[in-house]
Amino acid sequence: MKVVIGNDHAAVDMKMQIKEYIESLGHEVINVGIDKVERCDYPDYAYAACEKIINKEATLGVLICGTGIGMSIAANKVKGIRACACSESYSARLCREHNDANVVCFGERVIGIETAKEIVKSFLGAEYQGAHHVNRVKKIMDIEEGTYKK
Ligand code: RB5
């Protein structure tokens, strides 16, 4: 699958390692992140990555910043994106299976590289389960569209 990866200056090293790791899992990686430690604004990279997903150039996305929080807040403002900030792999699997998340976020200042790899492996390896989750995800999309009815 095609996976887009993005990061800010706080996560250059982890991005490099995670990019290689995703490739070692057999996926193609589109890198839209910054490759040097030079202060920048994480929403620019969150948007660049989400654009690739919305335009169907990538299926899933991985966003890394200092905490994963800023990236997830920015990504969730893009229509059609469901981004989850995860610090462990169980949530990374469940956000695909139950929430149909298309972006996972985490922070280089929060977790170590092995946990980051576990998160990525779980996220990319899981599939949306549909079934009773469909109506719940539809309600999220209705909130996004402004068509949600109480
Ligand atoms: C950058 O200093 C930091 O604020 C950013 O990487 C991220 O953690 C924001 O949520």
Side-chain angles (χ1 to χ4, degrees), residues 102-144:
N102 43 18
V103 175
V104 71
C105 309
F106 46 85
E108 180 172 336
R109 295 174 182 163
V110 179
I111 59 170
I113 187 64
E114 295 307 321
T115 301
K117 285 179 182 174
E118 279 179 12
I119 288 170
V120 165
K121 190 175 186 183
S122 298
F123 183 74
L124 299 181
E127 275 182 32
Y128 178 47
Q129 290 178 345
H132 57 285
H133 301 293
V134 170
N135 199 40
R136 297 166 186 168
V137 174
K138 184 185 174 300
K139 286 184 180 186
I140 294 172
M141 286 154 71
D142 289 345
I143 294 169
E144 186 173 85

Side-chain angles (χ1 to χ4, degrees), residues 44-70:
D44 296 332
Y45 298 94
Y47 189 78
C50 292
E51 231 183 354
K52 297 281 180 203
I53 296 171
I54 297 307
N55 293 341
K56 300 195 185 312
E57 293 168 63
T59 307
L60 296 175
V62 176
L63 289 173
I64 320 172
C65 60
T67 59
I69 303 292

